[in-house]
mmCIF file of all heavy atoms in Angstrom:
data_model
loop_
_atom_site.group_PDB
_atom_site.id
_atom_site.type_symbol
_atom_site.label_atom_id
_atom_site.label_comp_id
_atom_site.label_asym_id
_atom_site.label_seq_id
_atom_site.Cartn_x
_atom_site.Cartn_y
_atom_site.Cartn_z
ATOM 1 N N LYS A 1 98.050 148.988 85.951
ATOM 2 C CA LYS A 1 98.856 150.135 85.504
ATOM 3 C C LYS A 1 99.139 151.086 86.511
ATOM 4 O O LYS A 1 98.323 151.309 87.412
ATOM 5 C CB LYS A 1 98.280 150.666 84.203
ATOM 6 C CG LYS A 1 97.878 149.691 83.167
ATOM 7 C CD LYS A 1 96.909 150.190 82.161
ATOM 8 C CE LYS A 1 96.434 149.125 81.127
ATOM 9 N NZ LYS A 1 95.334 149.539 80.242
ATOM 10 N N PHE A 2 100.262 151.832 86.396
ATOM 11 C CA PHE A 2 100.504 153.020 87.193
ATOM 12 C C PHE A 2 100.907 154.207 86.253
ATOM 13 O O PHE A 2 101.586 153.967 85.307
ATOM 14 C CB PHE A 2 101.619 152.683 88.208
ATOM 15 C CG PHE A 2 101.409 152.508 89.580
ATOM 16 C CD1 PHE A 2 100.340 151.612 89.979
ATOM 17 C CD2 PHE A 2 101.976 153.284 90.567
ATOM 18 C CE1 PHE A 2 100.006 151.429 91.297
ATOM 19 C CE2 PHE A 2 101.574 153.133 91.969
ATOM 20 C CZ PHE A 2 100.603 152.214 92.265
ATOM 21 N N ILE A 3 100.499 155.445 86.768
ATOM 22 C CA ILE A 3 100.823 156.476 86.070
ATOM 23 C C ILE A 3 102.264 157.019 86.589
ATOM 24 O O ILE A 3 102.424 156.997 87.842
ATOM 25 C CB ILE A 3 99.783 157.712 86.287
ATOM 26 C CG1 ILE A 3 98.503 157.203 85.683
ATOM 27 C CG2 ILE A 3 100.191 159.010 85.761
ATOM 28 C CD1 ILE A 3 97.312 158.078 86.126
ATOM 29 N N CYS A 4 103.170 157.349 85.752
ATOM 30 C CA CYS A 4 104.476 157.771 86.189
ATOM 31 C C CYS A 4 104.830 159.149 85.558
ATOM 32 O O CYS A 4 105.158 159.271 84.455
ATOM 33 C CB CYS A 4 105.551 156.664 85.727
ATOM 34 S SG CYS A 4 105.334 155.069 86.546
ATOM 35 N N PRO A 5 104.748 160.199 86.390
ATOM 36 C CA PRO A 5 105.220 161.521 85.934
ATOM 37 C C PRO A 5 106.781 161.381 85.520
ATOM 38 O O PRO A 5 107.475 160.867 86.361
ATOM 39 C CB PRO A 5 104.979 162.407 87.107
ATOM 40 C CG PRO A 5 104.029 161.698 87.851
ATOM 41 C CD PRO A 5 104.250 160.253 87.784
ATOM 42 N N VAL A 6 107.015 161.954 84.364
ATOM 43 C CA VAL A 6 108.427 161.871 83.884
ATOM 44 C C VAL A 6 109.029 163.102 83.489
ATOM 45 O O VAL A 6 108.265 164.059 82.960
ATOM 46 C CB VAL A 6 108.615 160.786 82.785
ATOM 47 C CG1 VAL A 6 108.282 159.474 83.234
ATOM 48 C CG2 VAL A 6 107.677 161.244 81.569
ATOM 49 N N PRO A 7 110.292 163.455 83.747
ATOM 50 C CA PRO A 7 111.265 162.399 84.365
ATOM 51 C C PRO A 7 110.976 162.241 85.747
ATOM 52 O O PRO A 7 110.424 163.085 86.535
ATOM 53 C CB PRO A 7 112.602 163.047 84.028
ATOM 54 C CG PRO A 7 112.334 164.558 83.936
ATOM 55 C CD PRO A 7 111.009 164.613 83.270
ATOM 56 N N GLY A 8 111.300 160.999 86.224
ATOM 57 C CA GLY A 8 110.998 160.688 87.575
ATOM 58 C C GLY A 8 112.094 159.794 88.328
ATOM 59 O O GLY A 8 113.212 159.752 87.719
ATOM 60 N N TYR A 9 111.715 159.190 89.438
ATOM 61 C CA TYR A 9 112.633 158.470 90.240
ATOM 62 C C TYR A 9 112.877 156.940 89.888
ATOM 63 O O TYR A 9 111.859 156.283 89.812
ATOM 64 C CB TYR A 9 112.206 158.631 91.622
ATOM 65 C CG TYR A 9 113.039 157.952 92.735
ATOM 66 C CD1 TYR A 9 114.513 157.844 92.588
ATOM 67 C CD2 TYR A 9 112.463 157.533 93.871
ATOM 68 C CE1 TYR A 9 115.178 157.197 93.592
ATOM 69 C CE2 TYR A 9 113.319 157.009 94.964
ATOM 70 C CZ TYR A 9 114.670 156.793 94.759
ATOM 71 O OH TYR A 9 115.340 156.240 95.748
ATOM 72 N N ASP A 10 114.020 156.481 89.518
ATOM 73 C CA ASP A 10 114.170 155.141 88.961
ATOM 74 C C ASP A 10 113.760 154.089 89.953
ATOM 75 O O ASP A 10 113.286 153.015 89.391
ATOM 76 C CB ASP A 10 115.629 155.037 88.447
ATOM 77 C CG ASP A 10 116.665 155.219 89.550
ATOM 78 O OD1 ASP A 10 116.398 155.957 90.483
ATOM 79 O OD2 ASP A 10 117.780 154.658 89.355
ATOM 80 N N ARG A 11 113.915 154.387 91.221
ATOM 81 C CA ARG A 11 113.498 153.223 92.208
ATOM 82 C C ARG A 11 112.003 153.075 92.286
ATOM 83 O O ARG A 11 111.515 152.037 92.545
ATOM 84 C CB ARG A 11 114.160 153.549 93.565
ATOM 85 C CG ARG A 11 115.703 153.517 93.523
ATOM 86 C CD ARG A 11 116.256 153.393 94.928
ATOM 87 N NE ARG A 11 117.685 153.491 94.883
ATOM 88 C CZ ARG A 11 118.611 152.561 94.647
ATOM 89 N NH1 ARG A 11 118.121 151.321 94.325
ATOM 90 N NH2 ARG A 11 119.943 152.775 94.684
ATOM 91 N N HIS A 12 111.195 154.157 91.955
ATOM 92 C CA HIS A 12 109.864 153.940 91.872
ATOM 93 C C HIS A 12 109.470 152.975 90.696
ATOM 94 O O HIS A 12 108.683 152.110 90.767
ATOM 95 C CB HIS A 12 109.157 155.282 91.668
ATOM 96 C CG HIS A 12 109.124 156.201 92.915
ATOM 97 N ND1 HIS A 12 108.771 157.554 92.821
ATOM 98 C CD2 HIS A 12 109.329 155.922 94.167
ATOM 99 C CE1 HIS A 12 108.809 157.985 94.028
ATOM 100 N NE2 HIS A 12 109.150 157.029 94.859
ATOM 101 N N PHE A 13 110.193 153.244 89.539
ATOM 102 C CA PHE A 13 109.849 152.524 88.391
ATOM 103 C C PHE A 13 110.301 151.003 88.554
ATOM 104 O O PHE A 13 109.660 150.121 88.052
ATOM 105 C CB PHE A 13 110.630 153.000 87.226
ATOM 106 C CG PHE A 13 110.470 154.485 86.924
ATOM 107 C CD1 PHE A 13 111.448 155.314 86.370
ATOM 108 C CD2 PHE A 13 109.255 155.149 87.164
ATOM 109 C CE1 PHE A 13 111.275 156.628 86.224
ATOM 110 C CE2 PHE A 13 109.004 156.458 86.924
ATOM 111 C CZ PHE A 13 109.946 157.267 86.434
ATOM 112 N N GLY A 14 111.366 150.872 89.430
ATOM 113 C CA GLY A 14 111.881 149.514 89.694
ATOM 114 C C GLY A 14 110.825 148.681 90.473
ATOM 115 O O GLY A 14 110.623 147.465 90.299
ATOM 116 N N ILE A 15 110.090 149.309 91.416
ATOM 117 C CA ILE A 15 109.016 148.606 92.153
ATOM 118 C C ILE A 15 107.989 148.146 91.167
ATOM 119 O O ILE A 15 107.603 146.975 91.282
ATOM 120 C CB ILE A 15 108.412 149.494 93.225
ATOM 121 C CG1 ILE A 15 109.437 149.819 94.332
ATOM 122 C CG2 ILE A 15 107.226 148.938 93.922
ATOM 123 C CD1 ILE A 15 108.999 150.851 95.307
ATOM 124 N N CYS A 16 107.576 149.023 90.346
ATOM 125 C CA CYS A 16 106.452 148.663 89.302
ATOM 126 C C CYS A 16 106.980 147.496 88.449
ATOM 127 O O CYS A 16 106.307 146.526 88.221
ATOM 128 C CB CYS A 16 106.105 149.827 88.460
ATOM 129 S SG CYS A 16 105.132 151.043 89.265
ATOM 130 N N GLU A 17 108.216 147.556 87.942
ATOM 131 C CA GLU A 17 108.810 146.570 87.077
ATOM 132 C C GLU A 17 108.837 145.293 87.800
ATOM 133 O O GLU A 17 108.631 144.191 87.207
ATOM 134 C CB GLU A 17 110.202 147.071 86.527
ATOM 135 C CG GLU A 17 110.595 146.326 85.255
ATOM 136 C CD GLU A 17 111.738 146.962 84.467
ATOM 137 O OE1 GLU A 17 112.117 148.147 84.941
ATOM 138 O OE2 GLU A 17 112.007 146.417 83.428
ATOM 139 N N PHE A 18 109.236 145.379 89.121
ATOM 140 C CA PHE A 18 109.410 144.021 89.888
ATOM 141 C C PHE A 18 108.122 143.274 89.871
ATOM 142 O O PHE A 18 108.030 142.110 89.757
ATOM 143 C CB PHE A 18 109.769 144.415 91.202
ATOM 144 C CG PHE A 18 110.035 143.282 92.196
ATOM 145 C CD1 PHE A 18 111.249 142.464 92.168
ATOM 146 C CD2 PHE A 18 109.077 142.823 92.968
ATOM 147 C CE1 PHE A 18 111.400 141.446 93.013
ATOM 148 C CE2 PHE A 18 109.168 141.708 93.835
ATOM 149 C CZ PHE A 18 110.344 141.014 93.874
ATOM 150 N N TYR A 19 106.995 144.096 90.030
ATOM 151 C CA TYR A 19 105.655 143.441 90.061
ATOM 152 C C TYR A 19 104.903 143.349 88.835
ATOM 153 O O TYR A 19 103.818 142.795 88.689
ATOM 154 C CB TYR A 19 104.743 144.060 91.091
ATOM 155 C CG TYR A 19 105.119 143.739 92.624
ATOM 156 C CD1 TYR A 19 105.830 144.722 93.427
ATOM 157 C CD2 TYR A 19 104.826 142.521 93.055
ATOM 158 C CE1 TYR A 19 105.995 144.332 94.706
ATOM 159 C CE2 TYR A 19 105.117 142.101 94.291
ATOM 160 C CZ TYR A 19 105.747 143.002 95.199
ATOM 161 O OH TYR A 19 106.100 142.643 96.359
ATOM 162 N N GLY A 20 105.598 143.721 87.677
ATOM 163 C CA GLY A 20 104.966 143.607 86.434
ATOM 164 C C GLY A 20 103.819 144.576 86.248
ATOM 165 O O GLY A 20 102.896 144.457 85.375
ATOM 166 N N ILE A 21 103.898 145.716 86.931
ATOM 167 C CA ILE A 21 102.839 146.741 86.866
ATOM 168 C C ILE A 21 103.168 147.622 85.634
ATOM 169 O O ILE A 21 104.348 148.198 85.491
ATOM 170 C CB ILE A 21 102.824 147.594 88.059
ATOM 171 C CG1 ILE A 21 102.393 146.793 89.312
ATOM 172 C CG2 ILE A 21 101.827 148.806 87.948
ATOM 173 C CD1 ILE A 21 102.492 147.511 90.635
ATOM 174 N N LYS A 22 102.329 147.786 84.628
ATOM 175 C CA LYS A 22 102.564 148.477 83.486
ATOM 176 C C LYS A 22 102.679 149.994 83.802
ATOM 177 O O LYS A 22 101.742 150.506 84.455
ATOM 178 C CB LYS A 22 101.530 148.202 82.406
ATOM 179 C CG LYS A 22 101.743 149.074 81.116
ATOM 180 C CD LYS A 22 100.722 148.774 80.139
ATOM 181 C CE LYS A 22 100.941 149.585 78.711
ATOM 182 N NZ LYS A 22 99.985 149.175 77.668
ATOM 183 N N MET A 23 103.847 150.609 83.322
ATOM 184 C CA MET A 23 103.904 152.056 83.589
ATOM 185 C C MET A 23 103.553 152.871 82.512
ATOM 186 O O MET A 23 103.917 152.617 81.301
ATOM 187 C CB MET A 23 105.392 152.294 83.983
ATOM 188 C CG MET A 23 105.795 151.613 85.413
ATOM 189 S SD MET A 23 107.480 151.887 85.852
ATOM 190 C CE MET A 23 108.170 150.454 84.966
ATOM 191 N N ILE A 24 102.781 154.045 82.695
ATOM 192 C CA ILE A 24 102.343 154.884 81.628
ATOM 193 C C ILE A 24 102.954 156.302 81.924
ATOM 194 O O ILE A 24 102.742 156.914 82.992
ATOM 195 C CB ILE A 24 100.920 154.984 81.579
ATOM 196 C CG1 ILE A 24 100.222 153.623 81.501
ATOM 197 C CG2 ILE A 24 100.513 155.903 80.421
ATOM 198 C CD1 ILE A 24 98.691 153.648 81.588
ATOM 199 N N ASN A 25 103.797 156.821 80.973
ATOM 200 C CA ASN A 25 104.447 158.076 81.162
ATOM 201 C C ASN A 25 103.381 159.283 81.010
ATOM 202 O O ASN A 25 102.460 159.260 80.140
ATOM 203 C CB ASN A 25 105.448 158.284 80.061
ATOM 204 C CG ASN A 25 106.594 157.336 80.084
ATOM 205 O OD1 ASN A 25 106.733 156.518 81.030
ATOM 206 N ND2 ASN A 25 107.605 157.604 79.318
ATOM 207 N N VAL A 26 103.600 160.181 81.976
ATOM 208 C CA VAL A 26 102.833 161.399 81.966
ATOM 209 C C VAL A 26 103.811 162.621 82.111
ATOM 210 O O VAL A 26 104.695 162.528 83.097
ATOM 211 C CB VAL A 26 101.824 161.593 82.900
ATOM 212 C CG1 VAL A 26 101.245 162.964 83.138
ATOM 213 C CG2 VAL A 26 100.547 160.653 82.617
ATOM 214 N N PRO A 27 103.813 163.609 81.240
ATOM 215 C CA PRO A 27 104.798 164.659 81.319
ATOM 216 C C PRO A 27 104.745 165.412 82.681
ATOM 217 O O PRO A 27 103.708 165.748 83.187
ATOM 218 C CB PRO A 27 104.538 165.607 80.199
ATOM 219 C CG PRO A 27 103.743 164.757 79.147
ATOM 220 C CD PRO A 27 103.013 163.785 79.958
ATOM 221 N N LEU A 28 105.972 165.653 83.222
ATOM 222 C CA LEU A 28 105.950 166.410 84.379
ATOM 223 C C LEU A 28 106.498 167.800 84.165
ATOM 224 O O LEU A 28 107.614 167.955 83.609
ATOM 225 C CB LEU A 28 107.016 165.778 85.489
ATOM 226 C CG LEU A 28 107.239 166.544 86.858
ATOM 227 C CD1 LEU A 28 105.873 166.525 87.702
ATOM 228 C CD2 LEU A 28 108.335 165.949 87.579
ATOM 229 N N GLY A 29 105.586 168.795 84.274
ATOM 230 C CA GLY A 29 105.939 170.244 83.900
ATOM 231 C C GLY A 29 106.622 170.885 85.150
ATOM 232 O O GLY A 29 106.953 170.417 86.059
ATOM 233 N N ALA A 30 106.648 172.296 84.990
ATOM 234 C CA ALA A 30 107.276 173.173 85.890
ATOM 235 C C ALA A 30 106.551 173.151 87.222
ATOM 236 O O ALA A 30 107.026 173.642 88.179
ATOM 237 C CB ALA A 30 107.570 174.454 85.277
ATOM 238 N N ASP A 31 105.259 172.854 87.073
ATOM 239 C CA ASP A 31 104.425 172.992 88.417
ATOM 240 C C ASP A 31 103.762 171.644 88.636
ATOM 241 O O ASP A 31 102.790 171.648 89.489
ATOM 242 C CB ASP A 31 103.398 174.048 88.214
ATOM 243 C CG ASP A 31 102.376 173.793 87.060
ATOM 244 O OD1 ASP A 31 102.622 172.832 86.262
ATOM 245 O OD2 ASP A 31 101.307 174.416 86.995
ATOM 246 N N GLY A 32 104.106 170.552 88.136
ATOM 247 C CA GLY A 32 103.470 169.231 88.446
ATOM 248 C C GLY A 32 103.160 168.466 87.137
ATOM 249 O O GLY A 32 103.375 168.848 85.983
ATOM 250 N N PRO A 33 102.420 167.300 87.319
ATOM 251 C CA PRO A 33 102.078 166.386 86.144
ATOM 252 C C PRO A 33 100.989 167.083 85.369
ATOM 253 O O PRO A 33 100.287 167.845 85.799
ATOM 254 C CB PRO A 33 101.617 165.161 86.888
ATOM 255 C CG PRO A 33 101.295 165.548 88.293
ATOM 256 C CD PRO A 33 102.063 166.675 88.706
ATOM 257 N N ASP A 34 100.988 166.590 84.031
ATOM 258 C CA ASP A 34 99.927 166.953 83.113
ATOM 259 C C ASP A 34 98.562 166.434 83.582
ATOM 260 O O ASP A 34 98.331 165.255 83.350
ATOM 261 C CB ASP A 34 100.336 166.520 81.783
ATOM 262 C CG ASP A 34 99.263 166.855 80.714
ATOM 263 O OD1 ASP A 34 98.190 167.211 81.025
ATOM 264 O OD2 ASP A 34 99.701 166.775 79.491
ATOM 265 N N MET A 35 97.771 167.241 84.189
ATOM 266 C CA MET A 35 96.540 166.686 84.841
ATOM 267 C C MET A 35 95.443 166.329 83.740
ATOM 268 O O MET A 35 94.658 165.447 84.034
ATOM 269 C CB MET A 35 95.982 167.590 85.763
ATOM 270 C CG MET A 35 96.744 167.800 87.122
ATOM 271 S SD MET A 35 97.134 166.109 87.933
ATOM 272 C CE MET A 35 95.490 165.525 88.209
ATOM 273 N N GLU A 36 95.636 166.979 82.637
ATOM 274 C CA GLU A 36 94.582 166.472 81.563
ATOM 275 C C GLU A 36 94.984 165.106 81.113
ATOM 276 O O GLU A 36 93.935 164.346 80.958
ATOM 277 C CB GLU A 36 94.819 167.568 80.349
ATOM 278 C CG GLU A 36 93.731 167.176 79.244
ATOM 279 C CD GLU A 36 93.925 168.196 78.026
ATOM 280 O OE1 GLU A 36 94.495 169.261 78.222
ATOM 281 O OE2 GLU A 36 93.356 167.876 76.941
ATOM 282 N N ALA A 37 96.210 164.677 81.032
ATOM 283 C CA ALA A 37 96.549 163.383 80.704
ATOM 284 C C ALA A 37 96.210 162.400 81.903
ATOM 285 O O ALA A 37 95.638 161.324 81.589
ATOM 286 C CB ALA A 37 97.961 163.268 80.398
ATOM 287 N N VAL A 38 96.432 162.785 83.071
ATOM 288 C CA VAL A 38 96.120 162.077 84.178
ATOM 289 C C VAL A 38 94.675 161.741 84.318
ATOM 290 O O VAL A 38 94.224 160.472 84.539
ATOM 291 C CB VAL A 38 96.570 162.698 85.573
ATOM 292 C CG1 VAL A 38 96.103 161.978 86.756
ATOM 293 C CG2 VAL A 38 98.254 162.787 85.575
ATOM 294 N N ASN A 39 93.814 162.819 84.184
ATOM 295 C CA ASN A 39 92.458 162.516 84.299
ATOM 296 C C ASN A 39 91.847 161.692 83.218
ATOM 297 O O ASN A 39 90.793 160.936 83.394
ATOM 298 C CB ASN A 39 91.612 163.911 84.275
ATOM 299 C CG ASN A 39 91.823 164.616 85.634
ATOM 300 O OD1 ASN A 39 91.805 163.860 86.754
ATOM 301 N ND2 ASN A 39 91.977 165.930 85.662
ATOM 302 N N GLU A 40 92.495 161.669 81.975
ATOM 303 C CA GLU A 40 92.031 160.767 80.973
ATOM 304 C C GLU A 40 92.381 159.287 81.256
ATOM 305 O O GLU A 40 91.605 158.380 81.154
ATOM 306 C CB GLU A 40 92.722 161.086 79.619
ATOM 307 C CG GLU A 40 92.179 160.395 78.488
ATOM 308 C CD GLU A 40 90.647 160.689 78.204
ATOM 309 O OE1 GLU A 40 90.225 161.740 78.550
ATOM 310 O OE2 GLU A 40 90.121 159.604 77.644
#
């Protein structure tokens, strides 16, 4: 699995999808990704 801050870059998602890597959304705020969610 890969963590994907969203909204994000579609070509990054495309790489993961190509290899069957499961993507998990994490909200991207005004100063970066939700680190509480990332650390969990």
Side-chain angles (χ1 to χ4, degrees):
K1 305 166 188 172
F2 252 56
I3 298 167
C4 296
V6 292
Y9 182 29
D10 56 337
R11 296 196 187 276
H12 289 164
F13 307 148
I15 293 173
C16 287
E17 197 160 2
F18 181 84
Y19 280 111
I21 298 172
K22 182 178 180 179
M23 293 176 276
I24 306 172
N25 294 1
V26 164
L28 181 68
D31 64 345
D34 179 343
M35 289 308 300
E36 185 175 343
V38 168
N39 283 324
E40 186 62 32

